[in-house]
Amino acid sequence: MIKTIILKNRPEGKPTLNDFETIEHDDDLSIEDGEIVLETLYVSVDPYLRGRMSAAKSYVEPFELNKPIHSGVIAKVLESKHDNFSDGDYVSGMLDWKTKQVSNGKGLQKVDPTKADLSTYLGVLGMTGLTAYCGLTEIGKPKEGETLVVSGAAGAVGSVVGQIGKILGLRVIGIAGTDEKVALLKSKFGFDAGINYKTTENMKQAIAEAAPDGVDVYFDNVGGPISDAVLFNINKFARTVNCGAIAVYNNTDLPKSISVRPFLIKNSASMQGFIVSNFEDKFPEAIKALSGWLADNKLTYSETIVEGFENIPQAFIDLFNGKNKGKMVVKV
Ligand code: NAP
């Protein structure tokens, strides 16, 4: 029996388990030349999938209702009739939320379990690590001695951004949603300071205290009121890297946010959004740097690994409840 998770409803506001359905079925897994049979081992759940669950136009097509959802997956090749893959290889790529599936190999990369834990190819050595490296270096343009603020700091992207900031010689302040996460920012990831946005009444003041020289680079994973508070503290020529806006992904009303323009004008500051795939040509450089820092123990990572294929939807929903530290991954 093969299990597949389909999108049952387009979520209204915060996703719920009713928006997903797990179905069991017998698929024909016989393959032709140029095809492989894959067994899913790890599934990445990511905040951006929320956007694909709505029908709104975006940089990728919406998921179709009653069809399998897909995301980053690590799978094992059970059988191959493809020149580039052998039985027993491990691959990473965008695949369906299915326990087993047939692929033509397009878009799949082999990954080496002897070099790093397989799950890391979805995190620090995968899409979120690439996002952290490319967004920070290409848009943030960090310089030694500057101050970097990171929101969503204890998450997959944020925890790597902060550590790269430290490697590059910046003062790094992280914003996260629990005291435990704030402690982790300092003890595990080497941030200089952390702020719990859920217990801090005056975020504008807390950021000013943590960043006495002002903010030169803001790596924004969350948007919303946290990002408004950072704006009050930006320096002349500050760069804001608009990576994500999880605080507003589930909004059904138009967000009430302050106007950013006066802050940008008076500080000659910039703000730039990006999609990690914009920087595809930088990926080899990024992977080299990230794996080098990992090998030298300059970079570390956290993962929240949820067990069981059926728990993929709950793990996805829990991203919006802040249940993860580092990368949220499901082990099938
Ligand atoms: P993540 O940070 O590992 O997980 C999401 C975290 O967001 C949660 O753990 C939670 O932590 C925080 N959060 C949830 N609701 C929030 C709210 N209302 N306000 C503030 N924080 C909230 O996820 P990730 O994969 O690393 O992604 C981080 C951001 O980057 C997301 O916005 C994502 O869409 C974006 N992203 C963009 C690209 C790109 O190409 N531009 C690529 C990857 C990811 P707390 O406990 O701290 O609240």
Side-chain angles (χ1 to χ4, degrees):
M1 269 301 180
I2 294 168
K3 289 180 188 163
T4 297
I5 296 173
I6 59 169
L7 182 65
K8 197 80 191 107
N9 305 299
R10 300 208 180 278
E12 287 284 328
K14 200 168 173 180
T16 69
L17 287 178
N18 290 333
D19 298 323
F20 306 90
E21 188 178 342
T22 304
I23 50 175
E24 294 197 16
H25 48 99
D26 276 322
D27 268 13
D28 179 11
L29 292 177
S30 52
I31 49 173
E32 298 179 358
D33 283 348
E35 291 185 327
I36 49 180
V37 182
L38 295 170
E39 179 180 30
T40 299
L41 301 181
Y42 292 95
V43 175
S44 177
V45 288
D46 302 274
Y48 81 90
L49 297 170
R50 174 65 184 84
R52 297 198 66 186
M53 289 171 193
S54 86
K57 191 172 172 278
S58 186
Y59 59 95
V60 267
E61 291 297 307
F63 291 128
E64 283 182 61
L65 281 178
N66 299 312
K67 293 275 172 64
I69 297 169
H70 46 265
S71 69
V73 163
I74 303 293
K76 185 174 181 178
V77 178
L78 295 182
E79 188 188 350
S80 176
K81 290 189 180 170
H82 193 296
D83 290 343
N84 297 345
F85 302 98
S86 310
D87 297 6
D89 278 350
Y90 294 93
V91 297
S92 151
M94 293 298 287
L95 289 164
D96 286 345
W97 287 3
K98 281 184 168 195
T99 49
K100 285 185 187 153
Q101 58 200 292
V102 171
S103 163
N104 61 11
K106 231 175 148 184
L108 299 183
Q109 280 105 40
K110 277 194 239 183
V111 291
D112 186 345
T114 64
K115 290 207 169 126
D117 290 341
L118 282 171
S119 55
T120 60
Y121 294 105
L122 298 174
V124 64
L125 293 176
M127 191 271 283
T128 55
L130 292 168
T131 302
Y133 181 93
C134 296
L136 182 64
T137 57
E138 294 296 313
I139 301 175
K141 300 195 188 315
K143 294 184 209 68
E144 197 176 345
E146 287 189 327
T147 297
L148 165 69
V149 170
V150 188
S151 56
V157 175
S159 58
V160 176
V161 168
Q163 292 181 84
I164 299 175
K166 286 311 299 172
I167 291 167
L168 300 178
L170 285 84
R171 174 172 173 77
V172 179
I173 296 140
I175 301 171
T178 65
D179 287 345
E180 192 193 351
K181 288 186 183 184
V182 168
L184 200 70
L185 293 181
K186 291 190 267 183
S187 63
K188 182 167 172 122
F189 300 123
F191 285 51
D192 297 288
I195 301 170
N196 179 345
Y197 72 90
K198 288 194 179 151
T199 55
T200 301
E201 254 175 50
N202 188 337
M203 281 297 290
K204 178 181 156 188
Q205 188 188 325
I207 294 161
E209 282 165 12
D213 298 331
V215 179
D216 301 296
V217 183
Y218 174 42
F219 196 103
D220 186 7
N221 282 314
V222 305
I226 293 172
S227 300
D228 292 348
V230 178
L231 268 180
F232 284 92
N233 292 288
I234 58 171
N235 286 336
K236 199 171 180 194
F237 302 125
R239 289 84 66 201
T240 290
V241 185
N242 292 121
C243 176
I246 193 167
V248 300
Y249 287 169
N250 293 323
N251 279 7
T252 46
D253 302 330
L254 280 178
K256 292 175 193 62
S257 206
I258 56 168
S259 173
V260 299
R261 292 161 197 86
F263 294 91
L264 300 185
I265 295 163
K266 75 179 175 203
N267 292 299
S268 308
S270 68
M271 215 177 228
Q272 188 183 332
F274 76 104
I275 301 300
V276 61
S277 54
N278 298 351
F279 297 113
E280 233 160 338
D281 58 329
K282 292 274 164 198
F283 288 179
E285 170 195 317
I287 291 296
K288 193 169 167 220
L290 292 164
S291 41
W293 289 327
L294 278 174
D296 295 343
N297 292 322
K298 289 184 177 158
L299 181 67
T300 185
Y301 61 91
S302 278
E303 292 174 330
T304 297
I305 299 197
V306 172
E307 304 247 349
F309 181 80
E310 292 84 352
N311 293 323
I312 296 172
Q314 187 61 55
F316 168 69
I317 291 166
D318 279 343
L319 289 168
F320 298 91
N321 300 326
K323 289 276 169 72
N324 59 307
K325 293 192 231 31
K327 180 77 188 95
M328 183 79 106
V329 177
V330 178
K331 186 173 185 200
V332 173

